[in-house]
């Protein structure tokens, strides 16, 4: 079903069964396969490929040569009907690739809202990208990676499968991340190591000085106190009573499977 207000270029190929919402534009030579649902107000430019099962929300902009919802590169994938879900107001730049999930995980790749995926970024199977993230040019999110809200992964960086990049963290360009990056942390290098808090990003997102001081104290407990992580956790638990944002550090320490960058 294609809404009457949608504008489809005559050279675009839309398979039977595709759902396209109101005020959507589809550019020349774009191909949209069956089992794709596209919400309202999306701008899909020329030479885009969208395969399914894929669901795309509202008001996204998808630039030329992006490949959305293709089957993954995992050798275990055997044609199962896994999915891709994309939220609202994302900007997906040229040649971005976003692959569907695998049945070995949750069966779905998820991209949230208000994200910027820059040129040639690769979003592998079963990845979860939160909201308001910045995924830089030629960056790679390996399978099963999670990127938290307001995080940044800069150009030419690679995130190892099953790693988590915490909320409000920042991975500098050309970095190789092989363990989890805690929330709020600035990381850089091959292999990536911590360089303090992502203060610029935190300030831009409205964190005030008292809360920044609390997060700095939490960072020092983890990285500079000489304590084991088991010894650090009770301290962070007490701090989180006054500063709930410190709780994101605790969540990372309690749930990490690969360990955190050191």
């Amino acid at each position: 079903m294609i809404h009457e207000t949608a504008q489809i270029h005559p050279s675009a190929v839309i398979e039977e069964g595709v759902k396209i919402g109101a005020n959507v534009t589809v550019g020349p030579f774009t191909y949209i396969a069956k089992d794709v649902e596209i919400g309202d107000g999306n701008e899909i430019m020329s030479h885009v490929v969208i395969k399914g099962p894929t669901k795309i929300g509202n008001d996204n902009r998808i630039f030329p040569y992006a490949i959305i919802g293709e089957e993954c590169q995992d050798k275990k994938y055997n044609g199962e009907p896994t999915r891709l879900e994309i939220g609202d107001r994302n900007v997906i730049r040229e040649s971005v690739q976003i692959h569907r999930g695998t049945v070995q995980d949750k069966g779905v790749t998820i991209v949230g809202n208000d994200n910027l995926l820059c040129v040639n970024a690769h979003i592998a199977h079963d990845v979860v990208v939160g909201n308001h993230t910045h995924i830089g040019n030629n960056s790679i999110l390996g399978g099963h990676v999670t990127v938290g809200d307001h995080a940044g992964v800069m150009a030419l960086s690679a995130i190892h499968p099953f790693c988590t990049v915490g909320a409000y963290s920042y991975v500098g360009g050309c970095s190789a991340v092989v363990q989890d990056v805690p929330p709020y942390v600035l990381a850089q290098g091959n292999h990536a190591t911590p360089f303090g808090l992502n203060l610029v990003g935190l300030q831009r997102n409205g964190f005030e000085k008292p809360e920044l001081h609390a997060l700095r104290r939490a960072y020092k407990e983890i990285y500079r106190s000489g304590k084991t992580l088991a010894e650090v956790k009770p301290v962070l638990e007490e701090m989180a009573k006054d500063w709930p944002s410190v709780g994101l550090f605790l969540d990372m320490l309690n749930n990490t499977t690969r360990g955190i960058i050191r």
Side-chain angles (χ1 to χ4, degrees):
M1 182 178 69
I2 300 176
H3 195 276
E4 61 183 8
T5 61
Q7 301 179 42
I8 313 296
H9 192 276
S11 66
V13 176
I14 313 294
E15 289 191 348
E16 185 176 352
V18 172
K19 297 180 181 179
I20 297 179
N23 301 308
V24 172
T25 60
V26 178
F29 305 107
T30 282
Y31 169 65
I32 304 178
K34 63 181 180 179
D35 296 324
V36 172
E37 181 178 346
I38 298 171
D40 299 336
N42 289 285
E43 180 184 4
I44 302 170
M45 301 181 194
S46 68
H47 298 87
V48 173
V49 174
I50 306 178
K51 301 178 75 173
T54 290
K55 182 176 182 180
I56 299 175
N58 303 321
D59 300 314
N60 299 283
R61 302 184 71 210
I62 303 177
F63 281 70
Y65 302 103
I67 301 177
I68 309 297
E70 186 56 273
E71 66 180 54
C72 68
Q73 299 177 119
D74 191 317
K75 290 184 178 181
K76 298 186 296 297
Y77 181 75
N78 195 32
E80 299 89 353
T82 55
R83 298 177 293 119
L84 167 64
E85 297 179 1
I86 297 175
D88 304 332
R89 298 177 302 279
N90 297 288
V91 177
I92 301 172
R93 293 303 304 247
E94 298 88 336
S95 301
V96 167
Q97 313 110 43
I98 310 177
H99 290 173
R100 303 194 307 273
T102 63
V103 294
Q104 286 76 26
D105 195 346
K106 48 194 170 292
V108 59
T109 301
I110 299 173
V111 177
N113 304 319
D114 302 294
N115 299 291
L116 172 59
L117 310 183
C118 294
V119 171
N120 205 39
H122 177 71
I123 313 300
H125 59 88
D126 303 292
V127 165
V128 176
V129 176
N131 306 309
H132 302 280
T133 71
H134 182 157
I135 311 299
N137 297 337
N138 297 288
S139 54
I140 299 171
L141 306 185
H144 318 278
V145 162
T146 297
V147 179
D149 295 348
H150 298 277
V153 178
M154 296 298 102
L156 297 166
S157 291
I159 313 300
H160 192 283
F162 295 98
C163 283
T164 295
V165 177
Y168 299 98
S169 64
Y170 183 98
V171 177
C174 301
S175 294
V177 176
V178 298
Q179 292 182 292
D180 294 347
V181 179
Y184 315 116
V185 167
L186 174 64
Q188 173 80 46
N190 182 7
H191 293 152
T193 55
F195 287 87
L197 295 181
N198 176 25
L199 289 175
V200 172
L202 292 171
Q203 290 166 351
R204 287 176 177 173
N205 283 286
F207 285 74
E208 301 290 345
K209 283 186 177 180
E211 190 167 21
L212 292 175
H213 289 320
L215 294 175
R216 186 179 286 114
R217 291 197 304 273
Y219 178 92
K220 289 180 178 179
E221 283 291 326
I222 295 170
Y223 285 111
R224 298 181 184 174
S225 67
K227 299 175 183 177
T228 66
L229 294 182
E231 294 169 331
V232 166
K233 289 179 184 180
V235 179
L236 298 185
E237 289 172 356
E238 285 299 314
M239 293 180 62
K241 294 177 181 178
D242 295 321
W243 299 102
S245 54
V246 173
L248 292 185
F249 278 124
L250 271 173
D251 292 342
M252 172 70 75
L253 298 183
N254 287 329
N255 296 314
T256 183
T257 59
R258 294 189 57 83
I260 63 171
I261 60 171
R262 305 294 286 178

